[in-house]
Amino acid sequence: MTLRVVIADDEDLIRMGLRIIIDSEPDLTVVGEAADGAAVVPVVREHRPDVVLMDVRMPAVDGIQATRRLAALPEPPKVVVVTTFENDDYVYEALRAGASGFLLKRARPGDLVQAIRTVATGDSLLFPAAIRGLAARHEGSRTIPGISRLTSREGDVLRLMTRGLSNGEIAAELVVSMETVKTHVGNVLAKLEARDRTQAVITAYESGFVSPR
């Protein structure tokens, strides 16, 4: 299966460089581009990508608002924020808005293509240590009713998710089947009203259920 990608960035050279890297991979293809966050939704509706690479800082509509708009679509794509600065509140707000992870613009080409594949499958967390670092400043900042509804085993699964473990790794850790893990992950997402693993992990940190420290 070929993964379809849209690039949203206001710099022509950045979009060109990302396109060259992505289109060089046999299982990835760029199907559209947007030079501002305001143009992202129309491009996504036209091309129906699997993943959007989203610049967090754009002139008219920034990546945070554009990510919110995408998350509100009936079948939203996965979003990877592409940013210059790692410890940036813009990045964290984009993750809270629905992005599945972030990538630094200075990242190696191999990291870029792996990031696209990782968020597309949704089976593991993209750069869990970096997300933990961002979440450290927001520890215990919210009360999440769904946390108290988690069973003991679902809580175990969520803790392992915060460590970035894939479904297979969680299954091995808990000595259960992959199908059982998938069921628990689905229950965790539903109870926390989280779109994906990243949102669930942020919720775990912000509620104080797991400490990012």
Side-chain angles (χ1 to χ4, degrees):
M1 182 183 69
T2 300
L3 296 176
R4 298 163 60 84
V5 181
V6 159
I7 302 169
D9 197 293
D10 61 323
E11 296 186 37
D12 293 344
L13 284 176
I14 294 293
R15 295 200 309 275
M16 183 184 301
L18 293 173
R19 176 183 280 273
I20 290 171
I21 293 169
I22 294 166
D23 282 343
S24 69
E25 297 294 317
D27 61 329
L28 306 178
T29 183
V30 175
V31 295
E33 297 182 10
D36 187 78
V40 173
V41 171
V43 171
V44 165
R45 282 177 170 157
E46 178 181 357
H47 296 288
R48 300 174 64 87
D50 301 291
V51 177
V52 174
L53 297 181
M54 182 80 75
D55 184 16
V56 73
R57 296 176 185 267
M58 291 181 282
V61 174
D62 65 25
I64 299 170
Q65 184 59 35
T67 299
R68 288 195 185 101
R69 294 178 182 180
L70 291 181
L73 294 176
E75 296 181 7
K78 301 287 187 178
V79 174
V80 176
V81 171
V82 183
T83 180
T84 304
F85 304 106
E86 181 175 354
N87 296 316
D88 191 336
D89 284 339
Y90 273 81
V91 174
Y92 190 75
E93 289 304 317
L95 294 174
R96 291 191 66 190
S100 296
F102 73 92
L103 190 72
L104 296 178
K105 288 187 176 181
R106 64 176 183 270
R108 296 173 299 178
D111 291 335
L112 169 66
V113 298
Q114 188 56 46
I116 294 170
R117 294 175 182 132
T118 297
V119 300
T121 62
D123 183 46
S124 59
L125 202 65
L126 182 60
F127 306 139
I131 292 176
R132 183 168 59 249
L134 286 169
R137 289 175 288 177
H138 304 268
E139 182 179 1
S141 61
R142 285 199 297 162
T143 299
I144 312 294
I147 288 287
S148 63
R149 295 169 47 214
L150 297 177
T151 66
S152 176
R153 183 43 60 95
E154 289 165 358
D156 293 339
V157 169
L158 179 56
R159 291 184 186 93
L160 295 174
M161 286 166 60
T162 66
R163 289 167 46 190
L165 272 63
S166 67
N167 287 350
E169 291 167 334
I170 293 174
E173 183 84 11
L174 299 179
V175 196
V176 296
S177 70
M178 279 278 287
E179 289 304 315
T180 297
V181 171
K182 289 179 181 178
T183 298
H184 287 319
V185 170
N187 290 342
V188 168
L189 298 184
K191 290 180 180 180
L192 300 185
E193 298 181 0
R195 178 185 166 205
D196 60 15
R197 298 169 93 97
T198 301
Q199 308 308 309
V201 167
I202 288 175
T203 295
Y205 289 142
E206 290 189 343
S207 66
F209 181 77
V210 174
S211 173
R213 305 176 193 280

